[in-house]
Amino acid sequence: MSTINPSSGRDVPTGPTLPHDTVEKGHHWRTKDDEFDAGKLGMWLFLGTEVLLFAGLFCGYAIMRMLYPEAFANGSHYLNWVYGGANTLILLWSSYTMAAAIRHTQLGDRARAQICLVITWLCALAFLLIKFIFEYGPKWAEGKRPGVLFDYPYAQNAMEPMWWSLYYAATGIHASHVVIGMGLIGWLIIKNAKGWYGPKNYLAMENIGLYWHIVDLIWIFLFPLLYLIH
Amino acid sequence: MSSLDSHAGSAPHAGGHHGSYLTSKGSLWADIANWATTVDHKKIGVMYLTALLILFFLGGVMALAVRLELLEPTRSIINAAGESVTTGQRLAFLAGDGATANNIYNRAMTLHGAIMTFMFIVPGIPASLGNFFLPLMIGAKDVAFPRLNLASWYVYVFGSLFALASALVGGIDTGWTLYTPYSTMTDADHWRLVAMVTGVFIMGFSSIMTGLNFVVTVHKLRAPGMGWFDMPLFVWAIYATAIIQVLATPVIGITTLMLIFERLFNFGLFDPRMGGDPVLFQHFFWFYSHPVVYIMILPAFGVISETITVHARKPIFGYRSVAFASLGIAAVSFLVWGHHMFTSQGELTAAIFSFLTFFVAVPTAIKVFNWIATLYKGSIVFNTPMLYTLGFLFLFTIGGLTGLPLATLSTDMHLHDSYYVVAHFHYVMFGGTVIAFLAGLHHWWPKMFGKMYAETPAKLGFWLVFLGFNVTFFIQFVMGAHGMPRRYASYPDEFQWMHIISTVGSWMLLAGFLVHLFTFIHALLQGKTASANPWGGMTLEWHADSPPDEHNFEHEPIVKHGPYAYDRVVPPHTDPQDYPLPEKSDPN
């Protein structure tokens, strides 16, 4: 059995009633639209707090870079922009697939949304693998570590440990956000498989999508600051 | 909503009535399971209140220990066996790590500060009274995100447990400000500090969740007919507070994370030996912690705005200016953090921060003058909430005015880190927030639990707290001006008489709080049943039953008059309590 979705024009299978058709609004809301708007407003406020969290790191970066420009120039030479660039492309692509997943859900195409979500999740995994296997791992082994753990014998500047401190703090906190994002997107994949999301019920997916975009956006700032500016 | 007393003593409602939110579910276990998983903002408010009062008690015990220690310059007291020991030594068995009496003093002092700021005053009014009354006052059934609300309580308790775990294994001695490099270099056993800082980090999430929830609730869940300027001033205050919570707390989040990294891996960002800058930590810390001062005091302003108008039976003077002053204070709060660091920054920077700091006085003074103007020609009822409200005006004014010498560069150089500062912020935090908290607790007690408290012992409690507070802290202004530095366990003999007065005052305070504890327990067990509107208030929470129905209101209320329309709705010289309010379409 199938029908044509009026907004997408695609052939959409309609099986037994899925959970997203029967999701009710919370008892304290007047309308489902109110609930949706509130969810979006809450998410944007939360994203504001995320920006402010990273603002502290960027502020520390700016001050330390001003104090020790040479150490920071040296430091960024140790980073390979190819890995950073690859990760940038991966995150940008995953942001696109995340947005596409939401669009497909709005149009009622659950299968395509699922494919997009899985691609997003795999991109996040790829980002972390590149980060850990090609960047953190070798650098840590060479002694390019933060603070007192710094043990790299060929350092050209006494302040290089500071650079590595900020590098690990900024990329580490960002990576922890990627891990949280993988958890959330994984949760979306499971719930989408059970049919929770559809044209009338996609707030959770949209909010997690917004979260994923800000993870991407923060990396877009970290990449030039850490890898490209000498 | 036809009139205020539509619920009082009326027959059980037909349909839509689920009984009081306090109604038992049957067995004790069913009740516990019900409360532990509830998404009802009222129950969460009561859960917050319980947790807060336990922590307030712990912080108070630490304060008493600190004051007891300061009773004698040599810090020795006679124990049961007739030996002379210091109170620090008496407490030392708790630490069990051979810490000196001075260490113990510093830990007790730090614990007092950390518990009272991070765990009591910051979440205090918004999380307990705010959670309970914000939805009621705007006519909503719940906050916007009920499950997030419950999560914020669990996160708060979880974070507190981290901090208390650090206390149980000995506590930290950095002072509640956790200044580097002291917090990163001293004390080989750093896990205590990491546990405390992690606790602060976790509680930050709770604060953000609560603030975010309140902002969205105010934007999206106001009852039909309630415009922005029909909101009660308590709602305005909580709204302004929530904005600061959302904007300032992430900064302490990253600061505590950096401090944890610094402590665990010696990152060097704040360590001068590694090229870092300890003043950078102070900037980060105060960029959060100064706005947080207004997270602590703005809700208190909101409570006072409610109590003063209800118990003086007069519309609040200058409603809009009080509302805008809340937002003004929230805005200015982000520009003044540098005034905590006059002694560690350049002269020009310090002068700029000094200049900006004076601006906070403008919106604050607007509020105080408006409250006093509200009292003018009011029918003031001298019950406990009103006494606390008047006590607030008195104490907060002292607290505010004594801030000016600290905001002025030249005088601050003398008063910096002296007992004058201790007295000043206790007048603001305790004389302001805690006193307002008690005003609000008495004011809303009948609504929260459906029982009246006994007025006479409650008044006795007020006088003990009010006098005890002044005896404890007023003398500290003198002490500080004479040069007694803060955070020292031993001191020159000439200060002893002042410390004795202060310590005796702390015992009066203890007596006052015990009296209040008694009145509250007595009210719960044997209090008279409260009517829906015992004070004659006109804001929406008084339209609900006492204690409120599980879903707050029988029908969604429609707002037909402003929150304080005593002059328009009630004829002059009538007690609103006895006057059934007519329908009114005229806003405000």
Side-chain angles (χ1 to χ4, degrees):
Chain A
M1 201 166 75
S2 70
T3 56
I4 303 293
N5 182 309
S7 46
S8 67
R10 287 197 191 116
D11 196 26
V12 182
T14 55
T17 311
L18 291 169
H20 71 79
D21 287 324
T22 54
V23 172
E24 293 285 325
K25 66 178 174 59
H27 81 279
H28 56 300
W29 293 102
R30 264 169 237 120
T31 65
K32 207 153 165 28
D33 283 350
D34 277 354
E35 185 176 26
F36 185 83
D37 289 349
K40 289 282 281 287
L41 177 61
M43 194 63 199
W44 278 104
L45 282 169
F46 173 72
L47 296 183
T49 70
E50 287 283 11
V51 168
L52 283 158
L53 180 87
F54 279 93
L57 279 172
F58 286 125
C59 192
Y61 174 91
I63 289 165
M64 291 306 159
R65 186 178 182 95
M66 206 164 61
L67 288 175
Y68 313 114
E70 286 168 13
F72 275 59
N74 275 344
S76 64
H77 279 297
Y78 293 121
L79 299 181
N80 189 339
W81 67 269
V82 176
Y83 296 134
N87 264 347
T88 309
L89 290 178
I90 287 171
L91 277 191
L92 281 172
W93 176 251
S94 73
S95 249
Y96 166 72
T97 52
M98 186 72 230
I102 296 164
R103 188 64 191 146
H104 286 308
T105 305
Q106 287 172 338
L107 298 178
D109 191 342
R110 199 157 60 86
R112 276 174 214 247
Q114 188 74 339
I115 292 168
C116 286
L117 285 175
V118 171
I119 294 173
T120 312
W121 192 89
L122 289 174
C123 282
L125 183 68
F127 176 91
L128 288 177
L129 288 177
I130 290 176
K131 196 82 210 152
F132 281 93
I133 294 174
F134 298 111
E135 300 205 82
Y136 282 168
K139 290 193 181 77
W140 193 273
E142 289 166 26
K144 295 165 182 164
R145 300 172 197 159
V148 284
L149 301 174
F150 186 77
D151 191 24
Y152 183 58
Y154 312 109
Q156 293 161 358
N157 191 296
M159 286 305 157
E160 269 178 37
M162 179 76 80
W163 155 265
W164 291 108
S165 295
L166 273 165
Y167 168 76
Y168 280 105
T171 56
I173 294 174
H174 178 263
S176 71
H177 279 74
V178 175
V179 172
I180 294 167
M182 282 178 74
L184 293 171
I185 294 165
W187 180 69
L188 281 184
I189 290 171
I190 293 168
K191 295 236 328 184
N192 193 47
K194 293 178 181 167
W196 275 92
Y197 303 117
K200 290 177 197 157
N201 187 50
Y202 56 91
L203 175 64
M205 196 182 283
E206 179 141 359
N207 277 345
I208 291 171
L210 284 171
Y211 173 84
W212 190 247
H213 295 323
I214 205 142
V215 172
D216 180 25
L217 195 65
I218 288 164
W219 179 257
I220 304 281
F221 279 87
L222 286 178
F223 174 57
L225 284 179
L226 295 172
Y227 289 75
L228 299 183
I229 301 174
H230 293 314
Chain B
M1 269 301 123
S2 56
S3 70
L4 270 180
D5 59 350
S6 63
H7 295 272
S10 57
H13 308 288
H17 192 73
H18 303 264
S20 146
Y21 80 102
L22 289 172
T23 307
S24 169
K25 298 287 165 199
S27 72
L28 178 67
W29 287 113
D31 279 340
I32 289 173
N34 176 259
W35 279 72
T37 58
T38 185
V39 289
D40 182 352
H41 68 99
K42 299 182 289 298
K43 285 181 181 166
I44 295 169
V46 173
M47 280 153 70
Y48 258 116
L49 186 65
T50 315
L52 286 163
L53 290 179
I54 291 169
L55 286 160
F56 181 66
F57 173 75
L58 289 176
V61 168
M62 288 299 145
L64 288 168
V66 165
R67 286 279 15 134
L68 188 66
E69 175 87 3
L70 291 166
L71 198 57
E72 298 251 341
T74 53
R75 311 176 317 285
S76 65
I77 55 170
I78 309 296
N79 71 5
E83 300 156 323
S84 176
V85 293
T86 66
T87 45
Q89 283 166 345
R90 288 185 127 198
L91 291 168
F93 76 94
L94 283 175
D97 58 357
T100 64
N102 260 329
N103 283 145
I104 300 299
Y105 171 83
N106 286 334
R107 288 177 190 177
M109 175 269 292
T110 301
L111 212 52
H112 165 66
I115 288 178
M116 287 304 194
T117 44
F118 293 125
M119 287 163 244
F120 176 70
I121 294 193
V122 171
I125 297 177
S128 60
L129 297 176
N131 236 327
F132 200 107
F133 288 104
L134 179 92
L136 280 168
M137 287 173 116
I138 60 173
K141 285 183 191 160
D142 208 327
V143 291
F145 310 117
R147 281 186 293 177
L148 189 72
N149 201 17
L150 179 67
S152 87
W153 185 80
Y154 277 107
V155 170
Y156 164 75
V157 170
F158 185 61
S160 303
L161 290 178
F162 260 88
L164 293 178
S166 119
L168 282 178
V169 293
I172 57 170
D173 60 358
T174 58
W176 76 277
T177 52
L178 307 162
Y179 271 7
T180 58
Y182 188 79
S183 53
T184 55
M185 286 165 65
T186 57
D187 194 358
D189 187 7
H190 57 235
W191 290 107
R192 292 197 292 257
L193 187 113
V194 173
M196 174 65 87
V197 177
T198 309
V200 172
F201 178 76
I202 294 170
M203 279 184 277
F205 276 104
S206 163
S207 192
I208 288 176
M209 288 177 192
T210 307
L212 196 152
N213 217 338
F214 287 172
V215 171
V216 178
T217 306
V218 170
H219 274 269
K220 296 287 176 193
L221 279 173
R222 277 172 286 130
M226 181 178 274
W228 280 92
F229 293 105
D230 300 319
M231 293 197 314
L233 287 165
F234 182 69
V235 176
W236 270 106
I238 293 288
Y239 177 68
T241 309
I243 289 174
I244 310 181
Q245 279 178 312
V246 171
L247 292 183
T249 317
V251 181
I252 195 72
I254 194 69
T255 311
T256 49
L257 274 184
M258 284 178 176
L259 184 59
I260 292 169
F261 294 154
E262 189 92 2
R263 178 84 244 196
L264 292 180
F265 308 118
N266 275 322
F267 260 28
L269 284 172
F270 307 130
D271 185 348
R273 293 173 309 174
M274 302 176 68
D277 184 1
V279 180
L280 180 63
F281 177 84
Q282 296 184 20
H283 277 290
F284 279 152
F285 182 82
W286 287 114
F287 187 81
Y288 162 76
S289 293
H290 197 80
V292 145
V293 171
Y294 300 103
I295 294 181
M296 304 180 208
I297 197 68
L298 272 173
F301 291 169
V303 171
I304 294 303
S305 301
E306 296 300 322
T307 53
I308 210 162
T309 173
V310 171
H311 299 281
R313 310 269 189 255
K314 262 194 70 188
I316 194 98
F317 183 89
Y319 167 87
R320 281 189 186 224
S321 56
V322 177
F324 279 122
S326 286
L327 294 179
I329 290 170
V332 179
S333 72
F334 282 97
L335 305 174
V336 299
W337 78 91
H339 71 213
H340 294 269
M341 299 142 62
F342 281 157
T343 55
S344 58
Q345 64 192 352
E347 283 170 19
L348 178 65
T349 322
I352 291 169
F353 277 121
S354 171
F355 181 72
L356 289 170
T357 299
F358 282 100
F359 275 121
V360 184
V362 177
T364 314
I366 287 173
K367 280 177 180 278
V368 174
F369 289 136
N370 279 338
W371 292 324
I372 292 169
T374 304
L375 289 174
Y376 177 68
K377 286 192 177 174
S379 317
I380 300 172
V381 188
F382 286 99
N383 51 17
T384 314
M386 193 49 160
L387 286 176
Y388 268 113
T389 304
L390 297 175
F392 170 92
L393 288 179
F394 183 78
L395 300 176
F396 182 75
T397 304
I398 295 177
L401 290 179
T402 52
L404 295 177
L406 295 174
T408 310
L409 287 181
S410 52
T411 40
D412 181 66
M413 290 296 151
H414 174 64
L415 299 169
H416 186 85
D417 267 350
S418 76
Y419 261 73
Y420 185 93
V421 179
V422 178
H424 160 69
F425 70 68
H426 277 94
Y427 264 86
V428 177
M429 300 288 93
F430 192 130
T433 309
V434 179
I435 296 291
F437 179 62
L438 287 165
L441 204 54
H442 284 94
H443 177 67
W444 279 310
W445 186 270
K447 180 56 64 186
M448 291 176 87
F449 299 104
K451 301 278 188 178
M452 299 302 290
Y453 61 88
E455 198 68 77
T456 312
K459 281 182 184 167
L460 173 72
F462 163 77
W463 285 110
L464 282 170
V465 168
F466 182 76
L467 295 175
F469 173 79
N470 280 299
V471 172
T472 310
F473 291 105
F474 196 82
I475 195 77
Q476 294 186 0
F477 284 121
V478 185
M479 235 191 277
H482 281 256
M484 171 78 205
R486 66 198 272 207
R487 297 184 172 156
Y488 282 75
S490 43
Y491 53 85
D493 286 346
E494 67 193 85
F495 290 113
Q496 194 188 2
W497 68 273
M498 296 193 243
H499 276 296
I500 289 174
I501 292 175
S502 191
T503 302
V504 170
S506 71
W507 297 337
M508 284 174 71
L509 266 178
L510 172 69
F513 282 119
L514 290 178
V515 170
H516 279 315
L517 187 66
F518 163 78
T519 50
F520 285 144
I521 291 173
H522 177 265
L524 283 182
L525 298 179
Q526 303 196 338
K528 277 187 292 180
T529 304
S531 68
N533 191 7
W535 312 123
M538 302 190 69
T539 40
L540 285 179
E541 81 270 28
W542 304 110
H543 290 221
D545 293 344
S546 296
D549 183 79
E550 193 153 346
H551 294 296
N552 291 355
F553 300 101
E554 187 191 359
H555 306 292
E556 183 172 51
I558 294 167
V559 179
K560 300 234 171 128
H561 54 73
Y564 312 114
Y566 289 103
D567 51 344
R568 306 208 189 165
V569 183
V570 184
H573 312 296
T574 328
D575 190 343
Q577 198 173 336
D578 309 324
Y579 191 79
L581 293 169
E583 297 240 1
K584 189 84 179 171
S585 55
D586 185 12
N588 209 10

